[in-house]
Amino acid sequence: MKIIIIGAGISSLTLAVQLVKDHHEVIVIDKNSRPGGVMALYQENGFSFEQGPLLIGDMNPEEAMYELLKSINVTLPTQRCDRGLVLKDYRFIKPDRFEGKNWRRELAKKYFPQDAAGIDEYYRFYEALMRIRFLSLQKPSLFNKLKTALTFMSIRKYQHMSCDEFTKALFSDPDLRAVYTGILADFCVDPKEINCFSIPFVNAETAFDDRIDIYDHKGRQYYPAFNYVTGGVQKIPEALAEYIEKHGGTFLYNTTVTKINIENNTAKSVLLDNGKTIDADVIVSSGGAHEVFYKLIGKEYLTDEYDHILQNLHRMEAVFMLHLGVDYDPMQYQKQALVYYYGTSDLEGATYRLRNNIYHNGDDGFLIFIDSFHAPEFAPEGKHCITIYTVAPNIIKDSTWEQKKEEYAERLISLAEKHLPELHKHIVFKKVITADYYKEYTNTDFFSFGGLVPADGQVNPPHKTPIKNFYFIGSQSESNGGITPTSSGGYKVYDLIKSTNLK
Ligand SMILES: Cc1cc2nc3c(=O)[nH]c(=O)nc-3n(C[C@H](O)[C@H](O)[C@H](O)COP(=O)(O)OP(=O)(O)OC[C@H]3O[C@@H](n4cnc5c(N)ncnc54)[C@H](O)[C@@H]3O)c2cc1C
């Protein structure tokens, strides 16, 4: 069978690996010159920067991304890594000497003594959910079911609470609430819109200190962990693409699909920007949901139901990002590769601003990632690479990114300078990246940095579409952001193709 896959991001590559294993003819088409989509590095003037994911989950044995690579006989060297968190008046930066897995709990109690009981209750809730997660990954057994049920009983009273209700029930201080829910603003989701059971998973304690043991007494991985891929996240798509090519798959880079041709409600071929048409038995597309269905295909081919889902999609917004080459060592000031600096604890307001095209000018917060922390080779000798970014709307009210980008970049550098003194003076390379850059790079009119907003009740566009032989994958078909959920779409579509097209 001949299958065309549009886009060479992680979802497409995951799918292509499965299909070439079955000896299908696979053609992957991407407008960029390399595989990986946003997982590819940005490289200029001897500097390399991550333009997408920084720390990634699921890279340990038996976890999804590790197993995907293992299935093609690749093991990539990785390093455990973590992130710090700084609020206006509070610093959750891992101590120089390891103080045990509960140091954040104790620090939180020191900062917010009036909420000590709520903090203890939060960590009881946290451990219960981590236990349920662990049990769900074990071989199903009656004993495990029983343990899961008993653990669940201990936190059942919270099951219908939103993050907002839960943190308000436990913590009186808005800053403390932001410690555990601030990350939601990045996902463009208001804490009122998402169930509280998600909190521990976006705040795994192991993500804040790479020295916390993730294994239980039997050597089984108990807690999730985050890793940095040595040499950059790009190593993952490179390894997958190499395997696909070695097994007969073809990549057409620097090529954009401008139309998907449909006949008798069946996907038949794709039209390329060079005027060529390629036929296929099955076509799969990643990319923007609206762009794929309304521009490449056409609304007339959709059912009312599918159209309704697309019209009601909540997509995360974009990012405003600076890549800086510097001639001093930023690690003298920031001791972790990645630190989030929160400017506000008003997450409802931050989400409102994002959704209403109001750029917060760095005031709501930003992160500083030192790309060369784990990868000194990313910068020329004696230099370092820093990526500073913040979530930002796709379009800005009353102006354009092009008009404002330099002013906004200066402001972000000034804010970052509070944490990396004299930053301005040491910049030897600067690249300002706006939503417009990402739109061009990902072939979208609306750039959504992590895909769909993980709000309760969100209905994702099904991978199986109303058009015969046409499937949709990628971050805008999944609502959990992140590489692994996006990659999982590749497996799901593979199963659908097998069950529908290969019957
Ligand atoms: C700034 C940022 C930070 C992130 N941080 C993390 C993180 O820390 N951890 C994590 O797990 N995830 C993170 N993510 C999310 C994760 O990286 C993405 O969700 C995932 O990589 C998207 O994969 P995808 O398969 O949807 O393809 P994408 O990476 O979106 O790539 C799609 C590709 O298809 C191409 N394309 C689209 N339409 C066409 C067409 N018509 N013709 C030809 N080519 C086309 C695009 O140009 C692009 O190259 C981050 C993302 C960003 C942007």
Side-chain angles (χ1 to χ4, degrees):
M1 202 163 60
K2 183 173 171 186
I3 297 140
I4 288 178
I5 306 177
I6 303 170
I10 189 66
S11 57
S12 302
L13 297 174
T14 306
L15 170 62
V17 163
Q18 316 313 315
L19 292 170
V20 294
K21 279 186 188 169
D22 287 352
H23 309 290
H24 294 296
E25 183 183 349
V26 176
I27 303 173
V28 182
I29 305 172
D30 198 291
K31 75 173 285 189
N32 294 302
S33 56
R34 284 174 305 173
V38 299
M39 289 172 80
L41 290 173
Y42 181 87
Q43 295 176 302
E44 197 180 329
N45 272 18
F47 291 98
S48 301
F49 302 90
E50 299 289 358
Q51 50 178 352
L54 309 172
L55 315 182
I56 57 171
D58 303 299
M59 282 302 285
N60 288 323
E62 294 180 27
E63 292 186 310
M65 203 44 64
Y66 178 94
E67 292 300 320
L68 172 62
L69 291 164
K70 191 175 145 200
S71 77
I72 59 163
N73 295 319
V74 170
T75 313
L76 291 177
T78 58
Q79 289 150 270
R80 275 272 310 269
C81 55
D82 49 31
R83 63 182 199 257
L85 175 61
V86 172
L87 287 85
K88 269 189 187 143
D89 303 315
Y90 310 102
R91 292 176 67 81
F92 288 85
I93 297 287
K94 69 177 180 186
D96 287 341
R97 275 192 42 216
F98 185 49
E99 290 178 9
K101 71 171 186 163
N102 294 324
W103 67 263
R104 281 198 349 134
R105 182 178 78 189
E106 298 314 314
L107 187 60
K109 287 203 286 200
K110 221 183 262 176
Y111 282 144
F112 306 96
Q114 70 283 15
D115 282 324
I119 292 167
D120 281 335
E121 175 61 4
Y122 169 74
Y123 281 94
R124 192 188 67 77
F125 168 81
Y126 169 86
E127 289 295 347
L129 278 163
M130 285 293 151
R131 184 170 163 79
I132 290 171
R133 173 193 169 276
F134 168 73
L135 291 168
S136 74
L137 297 172
Q138 304 309 302
K139 274 205 186 110
S141 71
L142 202 60
F143 190 49
N144 278 346
K145 271 192 191 155
L146 195 67
K147 282 198 277 194
T148 303
L150 282 175
T151 313
F152 179 72
M153 289 297 281
S154 71
I155 52 168
R156 196 176 60 161
K157 63 179 175 185
Y158 299 123
Q159 69 175 314
H160 298 300
M161 282 189 180
S162 69
C163 292
D164 183 65
E165 289 164 334
F166 174 77
T167 51
K168 280 184 175 155
L170 261 54
F171 310 137
S172 64
D173 193 306
D175 280 341
L176 180 56
R177 298 202 281 269
V179 169
Y180 298 101
T181 51
I183 194 82
L184 297 176
D186 282 23
F187 301 154
C188 204
V189 59
D190 182 323
K192 288 194 179 74
E193 297 170 335
I194 177 168
N195 185 275
C196 66
F197 279 16
S198 60
I199 298 178
F201 303 108
V202 291
N203 283 290
E205 292 298 307
T206 48
F208 295 93
D209 192 331
D210 58 1
R211 299 163 296 187
I212 296 176
D213 191 3
I214 56 171
Y215 299 101
D216 73 357
H217 63 285
K218 288 187 180 163
R220 297 169 301 185
Q221 188 177 336
Y222 189 87
Y223 293 112
F226 292 83
N227 285 284
Y228 183 79
V229 179
T230 308
V233 178
Q234 181 176 286
K235 295 279 177 207
I236 298 176
E238 279 174 354
L240 299 172
E242 191 183 324
Y243 179 89
I244 294 160
E245 279 188 310
K246 263 197 191 144
H247 290 78
T250 307
F251 282 85
L252 300 182
Y253 291 119
N254 302 308
T255 307
T256 304
V257 172
T258 55
K259 195 168 175 1
I260 297 168
N261 296 312
I262 315 286
E263 285 168 32
N264 297 328
N265 205 40
T266 306
K268 289 287 183 190
S269 61
V270 296
L271 175 66
L272 308 180
D273 56 351
N274 58 17
K276 284 190 186 147
T277 298
I278 313 180
D279 298 334
D281 299 307
V282 169
I283 299 172
V284 181
S285 186
S286 62
H290 285 194
E291 293 79 349
V292 167
F293 287 100
Y294 295 136
K295 285 176 82 174
L296 299 189
I297 291 178
K299 192 178 162 82
E300 63 275 24
Y301 295 107
L302 302 178
T303 55
D304 288 347
E305 193 191 347
Y306 208 92
D307 184 40
H308 182 78
I309 293 172
L310 294 175
Q311 291 297 331
N312 288 289
L313 278 189
H314 294 297
R315 293 163 292 180
M316 293 186 206
E317 287 284 339
V319 291
F320 178 63
M321 182 181 267
L322 303 180
H323 291 319
L324 304 175
V326 293
D327 66 1
Y328 79 157
D329 181 0
M331 274 100 85
Q332 63 187 305
Y333 302 117
Q334 181 176 303
K335 295 204 161 49
Q336 277 171 288
L338 176 62
V339 177
Y340 284 68
Y341 298 95
Y342 288 177
T344 182
S345 50
D346 170 21
L347 304 179
E348 195 179 339
T351 312
Y352 173 86
R353 286 185 278 283
L354 255 182
R355 289 177 179 172
N356 288 278
N357 304 331
I358 302 163
Y359 175 53
H360 56 81
N361 211 357
D363 294 336
D364 285 351
F366 55 89
L367 63 81
I368 300 179
F369 177 66
I370 304 171
D371 303 72
S372 49
F373 190 103
H374 297 293
E377 71 278 12
F378 277 14
E381 182 101 34
K383 311 265 193 313
H384 283 276
C385 317
I386 300 173
T387 296
I388 305 174
Y389 79 83
T390 181
V391 282
N394 265 269
I395 48 173
I396 37 175
K397 241 186 183 157
D398 305 326
S399 190
T400 64
W401 279 111
E402 197 48 40
Q403 275 172 0
K404 290 291 212 179
K405 67 178 190 184
E406 289 304 330
E407 176 192 328
Y408 289 158
E410 280 310 299
R411 166 81 178 153
L412 210 47
I413 294 169
S414 299
L415 289 170
E417 205 161 39
K418 291 184 184 142
H419 310 287
L420 303 179
E422 301 199 310
L423 176 61
H424 257 115
K425 232 170 69 185
H426 291 279
I427 296 172
V428 294
F429 171 82
K430 181 174 92 176
K431 171 77 186 172
V432 183
I433 293 199
T434 68
D436 294 342
Y437 165 91
Y438 274 111
K439 287 176 199 168
E440 175 64 27
Y441 183 79
T442 58
N443 200 47
T444 50
D445 301 327
F446 181 100
F447 176 65
S448 163
F449 101 99
L452 304 180
V453 167
D456 295 341
Q458 158 96 275
V459 180
N460 301 350
H463 299 300
K464 190 167 185 168
T465 73
I467 300 142
K468 212 173 147 205
N469 298 350
F470 178 71
Y471 300 90
F472 182 55
I473 49 173
S475 64
Q476 293 202 20
S477 63
E478 315 287 342
S479 53
N480 284 320
I483 294 172
T484 312
T486 308
S487 161
S488 74
Y491 290 111
K492 288 181 224 156
V493 168
Y494 170 67
D495 288 341
L496 284 171
I497 293 174
K498 269 203 329 196
S499 62
T500 314
N501 303 83
L502 293 173
K503 267 199 303 211

